[in-house]
Amino acid sequence: MKKIINFFKARSKYFKGIFMVTVVVIIFFELTNLTKTLDFHQLKIIFRDLPRFKLILMAVIGFVAILPMLGYDIIFHRMLKRPIKTSYLLETSWVTNTINNLTGFGGFVSVGFRSAFYGGKKEGPEFLHALSKVFLFLMSGLSFYSLLSFLLVSFGQGSPYLHQYWPLLLGGGLYFPVIILVTHLKKTGILGGMPLKTAIALMAVSVLEWTGVLASFLSIAYFLDIHVPYLQVIPLVIAASVFGVITMLPGEIGSFDVMMFMGLATFGIPRETIAVWILLFRLFYYILPFLLGILLFAKNLSGRFNQRFEGLPRDLAEELAHKILVFLLYSGGIILALSGTIPRAFTELSFLRQFNPFTYHLLSKSILLILGYFLILMGRGVSARVKRTYPIAILFITLSLGYTILLDFSLGAVLYFGILLLIMLFSKQELFRKQLVYSWEMRLVDFFILGFLTLLYIFIGVYNRPDHPLHRHRLPTFFVFPSERLWLIGFIGILIVAFFMILLIHYLEQPQKKIAMPYDENRITNLLMTQGGNTDSQLVFLGDKDTYFYRQDDVDLVLFQYRIKNDKLIIMGNPAGDASYFEPAIEELIDVANRQGYKLIFYEVTEELVMILHNFGYDFFKMGEAAEVNLLDFSLTGKKRKAERALMNRFNREEYSFEIVQPPFDSQLLTRLKEISDEWLAGRSEKGFSMGFFNESYLKREPIALVKNSAGTIVAFANLIPSYEPKKASVDLMRYDKTVVSGIMDYLFIQLFEYLKAEGYEKFDLGMAPLANVGTTRHSFFQERIAYLIFHFGSRFYSFQGLREYKDKYASAWIPKYTLYCRDSSIIFSMIQLLLVDNAPVKNKTTHPLQKFMDWI
C-alpha cells in the first residue's frame, strides 16, 4: 500500500494534469448534453409567462441551497490544521461542489478537485485520510433522508408508488449509521481515528446540503402553484436521488427524471407541468450554479496556466476580452439604433434578424434609439480604457439587464446584457486611464458612426412626409416609419442623448492632469552638466516645451522635452542625461503618459534609441539626416575647396570680419541682432520646437558668432550651443542681413570651423536636413512615403529642397535621424500632428480662426 501511495505521490504533477484535462473534456461534453436536454423554446415561454420576481426567487433559493456544501472544505482544512485564504477556499469549494453535482460519478470528481486544489508535492498520509473521510460523508445526508423517507413510506405517508422501492430507501438509510460507527470504532487507517465531533459536523453539512436540494425542488412547486402533499413528495425525491447516485449518471439525468415523472403522475399532475417543474429545478439548482463554477474553474485554471507562462496568457486574454467588450458595445448600440430607425428591416431582412439579439416588444422606438446611442458612448469610454467609465457602464448595463428581465423579457437581450456585464466586471483592470483624451482618430470613428445613424434617421423622417417627392422613388418598404409623431419623439431623444454625450465626454476628460513638471532652469542646467546631453538638449531653454525628469534616489538622471498635440506627446530629440538609464526612463514615461491617455512620438532620434523603442512596440521610419563636419580634416586647401577659397578672399578684400563674443551682452548688440532677425524673417512667424527662435534670454546663455562689414556693422550672426559631448560644437539660430552680398553664411561657417578647430574641437553638428534620402523611391517604406508627402507639402516655413546640397559641401558624415510612433496610432494623424507642432508659430498676435480651430482639436 505504501509503495502504491509513493508511486502516485512521485507522479502527482502528471496525474493532476491528466485530471484537469479529463475534467475539461467532461465539462465540454456535459455542456453539449445540456444544450440537447434543455428545451430553450419552452424556457422562453416559461420566462415570458411567469412573473419575474418568482424567477428571481427561484434562482436565489437555488444558489443559497448550494452554500451548505462549502462546509465540507471548511471542515477538511480544520482536519488538516492548515491556514488557507478565505476567498480561495470559497472559490475552489464552489467549483468542486457545483461541478461534482452535475458531473456525478458518485462524488469521485470532488476527490480529484480537492486533491488538485489543496494537495501539494509533499502531502503526507494525513491528507489522504482527511480526503477519504470527507468523501465517505458526502452521501450521509442523503442516507439520513433515505431512512426518514423509509419511515414515512412504512407508516403510510409516502406515495403508494414508492412502496415498491422500500428496499432502496432502507439500503440508502443504513449507509450513514454504518459510516459513523466504523469511523468512530476504528482508531487507525484511512477510515479510523476520526473524532465523533468531526463526524457529526460532516453529517450536519450533508444533511443541510440535501435540505437545500429539497427546499429548491419544493419551492419551485410553490411558485408554479402546484398543490401536492410535500410529505409524500419528499420520499419520492430522495428515492429518485438514491437511484441516481447508484447509477452514477451525470446530474442523475435520466434516472431521476423517469422516477419523478412516474411518481408525480400518481398525484394527478399533468406531464407538461412535471416537465416544467423538473426543467426549472435543473436550471436553478444545477445549471446556473454549475455555470458559475465553470467560470471560477476557468479563472483558477487560467491562473495556473498564466503563472506557468509568466503572465502572457492573462495579458492576451484581457486584451481579447477588452476588444470583445468594445465590439459588443458598438455593435449592440448600432443594432439598437437601427432597430429604432428602420424597425421593419429587422423583420423583412433575414440576415438582420440573425444578427439582432434584441426582440423588444414594449420598448418604444425612441427608447431603442437612446439605448443604442448610449451603448456606443459606453463603447467609446471602454475603448479608451478610461477608469471613470467603469461605474457608469456597470450601472447602465445593470439597469438595461434589469429592465429586460422585469419589464420586457427577451432571451437574446438577457444573454447579451448578461455577457456584457460579466465581461465588464472582469475587465476592470483594463480600464486604467485617469482621463479621456479625445483623439482625432476617436472623433473620426464616432462622428462617422453617430453621424451616419443620425443622418439616416433624419432621412427617414423626410422620406415619410406624405407630401414629399421622394415617395415617387422606389425605395425598400422598411424605410416606412410607423408615424410622424413617433419620429419626432425619437429625434428629440437623439438631441437629449447628444446633450448627455457632451456632458459625459466632458466628465471623462476631467481632471485633465498634466504630465509636465514645473520649468526649473537651475535643475535642467544641473542635469545637463552632471549627466550629459546632446545637440538638441539646449532647445529646452527656449521655454516652448514641457519637461519630464526621470529620477532615482532623488537624483535627476534623464530629461525629456516635449509638446502635446491632441493625444500625442511629441518628444524632441534624444533624451538628455545618462544613456544607461534611457530604457527605464522611457518605460516610466510611456506608463505615465498611457495612464493619462497620451501616446508618445519620438522626433528626430538616433539609431541607439530606435533599438530601445522598438522593444516597447514602436514603429519607426527615417526622418532625415544630420550633417556632421570633421574639423580635424577640414581645410581650404586643395582643388575641392577652390570655390570656398575664392569666397573667403572676396570677403577679406571687402574687409568683412569675424568675431566671437561672450555673454553677458549689451542691449545695443541684442537690438541689432533683433533687427537682423526681423529683416530675415520678412514678416513670417518663427517656428519653434525643433529649432531655435529669437529669444533674448536664450541667446544670452552662450557665445555668439558675428560677421561685420567694413563699417563695423553686424550683418550676420549665429549662436553657439553646447553639444554636451566632448569636443563637439554646434549652432542653432543663424540669421543674416539679406542686403549684403551672397555667401555671407558660408563665410561665417568657414570662419567658425577654423576658430573651433583652433580651440580643440573635433566635430561640428550642422543640424538636420529633413527628409534627406527619405521616401524618394517607390521601394521606400510606406510610412516614409506618407511622411515625405505630408511634410513636403505641409511645411510653410522653408523648402526642404536644396538644404542637403548646401550642407553636403561641408559634411564629412551623415547621421540618420528617425521618428518613432506607437503601433496602434494612425501614421497619417501622427504625422499631421507632428507637422502642426513643428510648424506652429512661436507667437502670433492675431490668431487666424483656422489656427484657433486646430488648437481646439
Side-chain angles (χ1 to χ4, degrees), residues 19 42 52 124 226 259 294-295 576 650 679 738 763:
F19 172 75
Q42 189 177 29
R52 299 292 179 267
I226 302 173
M259 286 193 66
I294 288 177
L295 290 175
R650 177 164 59 89
E679 290 176 6
K738 292 185 177 181
K763 294 181 181 180

Side-chain angles (χ1 to χ4, degrees), residues 26 35 92 154 203 424 428 473 567 580 583 745 852:
I26 291 172
T35 58
T92 52
S154 300
M203 174 75 185
M424 193 75 213
K428 185 177 182 180
H473 298 276
D567 68 324
S580 62
E583 189 165 351
M745 293 310 297
K852 290 182 179 181

